């Protein structure tokens, strides 16, 4: 809150922008800490939440720093068919994709789709996560370390991850696709 006050009082645009970015990154960090605390508070006797519930929890937490709630859609029997390891990795991929959209995309709209009825290139059954935004798209020469992490996470399970055009006008924005075997 002190940083936000300093941001409002600053008359230098570069300082205002820098402080604003710091505040945004702190908001994301706070959300990640809250997620970790919630996970730690879940006792061993409690049944773990289904994948659908965990996806909705991530979407709701992302709404705070984004300033809007991403749209979402579920296809297939997500809770019944997606294994625990794949589900944990899908949640981490969702968190990364939403974080990237918040920090870099300048998006006003995000859509999340989880489809547990896809056929992977090798013919096996899989799950696909798509996070699409209407933001500024991927900048040329950007770091892309988060996207590499998504790809490694999918590949470790026998899946894949890639990016494509978003949901903005004329394909503006970015769609991150992450898929893995069930």
């Amino acid at each position: 809150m002190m940083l936000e006050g300093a941001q409002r009082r600053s008359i230098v645009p570069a300082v205002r922008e820098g402080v604003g970015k710091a505040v945004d990154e702190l908001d994301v960090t706070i959300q990640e800490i809250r997620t970790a605390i919630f996970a730690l508070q879940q006792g061993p006797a409690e049944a773990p939440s289904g994948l659908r519930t965990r996806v909705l929890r991530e979407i709701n937490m992302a709404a705070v720093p984004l300033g809007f709630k991403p749209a979402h859609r579920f296809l297939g029997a997500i809770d019944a068919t997606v294994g625990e390891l794949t589900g944990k990795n899908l949640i981490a991929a969702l968190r990364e994709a939403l974080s990237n959209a918040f920090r870099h995309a300048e998006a006003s709209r995000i859509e999340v789709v989880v489809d547990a009825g896809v056929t992977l290139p090798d013919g096996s059954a899989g799950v696909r996560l798509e996070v699409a935004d209407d933001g500024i798209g991927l900048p040329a020469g950007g770091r892309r370390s988060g996207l590499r992490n998504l790809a490694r996470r999918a590949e470790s399970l026998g899946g894949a991850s890639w990016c494509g055009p978003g949901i903005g006008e004329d394909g503006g924005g970015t769609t991150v696709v992450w898929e893995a075997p069930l």
Side-chain angles (χ1 to χ4, degrees):
M1 288 179 5
M2 290 186 320
L3 283 174
E4 288 173 336
Q7 180 184 17
R8 283 191 299 273
R9 289 188 303 272
S10 176
I11 58 172
V12 180
V15 171
R16 242 189 344 262
E17 183 178 320
V19 172
K21 286 182 181 180
V23 168
D24 293 343
E25 289 186 21
L26 282 171
D27 284 341
V28 170
T29 302
I30 289 167
Q31 291 304 317
E32 290 172 354
I33 291 169
R34 286 180 179 155
T35 300
I37 290 169
F38 179 81
L40 290 171
Q41 288 175 338
Q42 221 177 11
E46 296 178 40
S49 299
L51 182 57
R52 183 181 303 254
T53 301
R54 291 182 286 165
V55 167
L56 290 172
R57 187 179 304 136
E58 291 298 324
I59 289 170
N60 287 330
M61 284 193 311
V64 174
L66 286 168
F68 63 91
K69 184 176 176 183
H72 62 277
R73 192 165 38 125
F74 296 101
L75 304 167
I78 291 152
D79 288 333
T81 59
V82 179
E84 184 59 29
L85 181 60
T86 299
K88 282 176 73 172
N89 280 277
L90 184 141
I91 292 299
L94 173 61
R95 188 176 298 134
E96 178 73 29
L98 288 171
S99 175
N100 284 345
F102 167 69
R103 289 183 294 159
H104 307 297
E106 300 175 23
S108 62
R109 196 172 90 214
I110 298 175
E111 296 176 3
V112 175
V113 177
V114 179
D115 185 350
V118 300
T119 302
L120 300 177
D122 68 359
S124 65
V127 61
R128 178 178 296 140
L129 166 69
E130 294 182 18
V131 179
D133 68 59
D134 66 348
I136 60 173
L138 293 173
R143 278 193 0 230
R144 298 199 178 22
S145 58
L147 297 176
R148 283 192 299 274
N149 289 339
L150 288 176
R152 276 195 294 272
R153 190 177 286 280
E155 290 164 4
S156 74
L157 299 170
S161 182
W162 64 91
C163 295
I167 55 174
E169 292 181 26
D170 300 321
T174 305
T175 297
V176 175
V177 180
W178 184 94
E179 63 183 22
L182 294 172

